[in-house]
Amino acid sequence: NHPPVVIVDGALDRVVSPGEKVLLNASRTYDPDGDELSFKWWQYYDADTVNTKIEISNDSQSEASFLVPDESSKDIHIILEVTDNGSPALSRYSRIIYKIK
């Protein structure tokens, strides 16, 4: 079994504006063995500086979204966790950092 290859569209460091709807897209992610993949998008609270809990829509799909809170000069760290259904199940991660300007 080989781990998934995680591909997130766009740069991994991005600038966003308060109130902006951010689209998350990892639909080009694949498994070299053809195993089925599960996706989980989540906010990495320990690393980011926003005071708001981000609600990610479709957090278990390859495409998801969230609204940027009204907090200027803060960072949001979003993690994509992709796991295959091989034996043993293997996971890979990607982090996207959003700087609110």
Side-chain angles (χ1 to χ4, degrees), residues 3-18:
V5 177
V6 178
I7 302 171
V8 176
D9 285 356
L12 297 180
D13 286 307
R14 306 176 191 186
V15 175
V16 293
S17 301

Side-chain angles (χ1 to χ4, degrees), residues 5 14 36 45 52 58 61 73 78 92 94 99 101:
V5 177
R14 306 176 191 186
E36 191 173 315
Y45 307 108
T52 305
N58 298 322
Q61 305 296 319
S73 302
I78 300 294
R92 287 296 178 260
S94 186
K99 296 181 185 314
K101 299 277 179 169

Side-chain angles (χ1 to χ4, degrees), residues 68-85:
V68 177
D70 190 17
E71 296 185 42
S72 294
S73 302
K74 302 278 184 158
D75 294 341
I76 303 168
H77 293 240
I78 300 294
I79 304 293
L80 169 58
E81 178 180 342
V82 181
T83 304
D84 69 16
N85 69 345

Side-chain angles (χ1 to χ4, degrees), residues 7-76:
I7 302 171
V8 176
D9 285 356
L12 297 180
D13 286 307
R14 306 176 191 186
V15 175
V16 293
S17 301
E20 180 179 340
K21 182 177 183 178
V22 174
L23 302 176
L24 305 165
N25 188 341
S27 59
R28 296 185 302 135
T29 296
Y30 66 94
D31 186 84
D33 306 308
D35 293 333
E36 191 173 315
L37 298 175
S38 62
F39 294 80
K40 181 179 177 186
W41 300 90
W42 47 278
Q43 181 181 5
Y44 188 15
Y45 307 108
D46 292 339
D48 64 24
T49 58
V50 294
N51 298 314
T52 305
K53 181 178 178 187
I54 304 300
E55 184 176 326
I56 300 173
S57 300
N58 298 322
D59 64 348
S60 64
Q61 305 296 319
S62 64
E63 296 179 0
S65 64
F66 70 91
L67 289 176
V68 177
D70 190 17
E71 296 185 42
S72 294
S73 302
K74 302 278 184 158
D75 294 341
I76 303 168

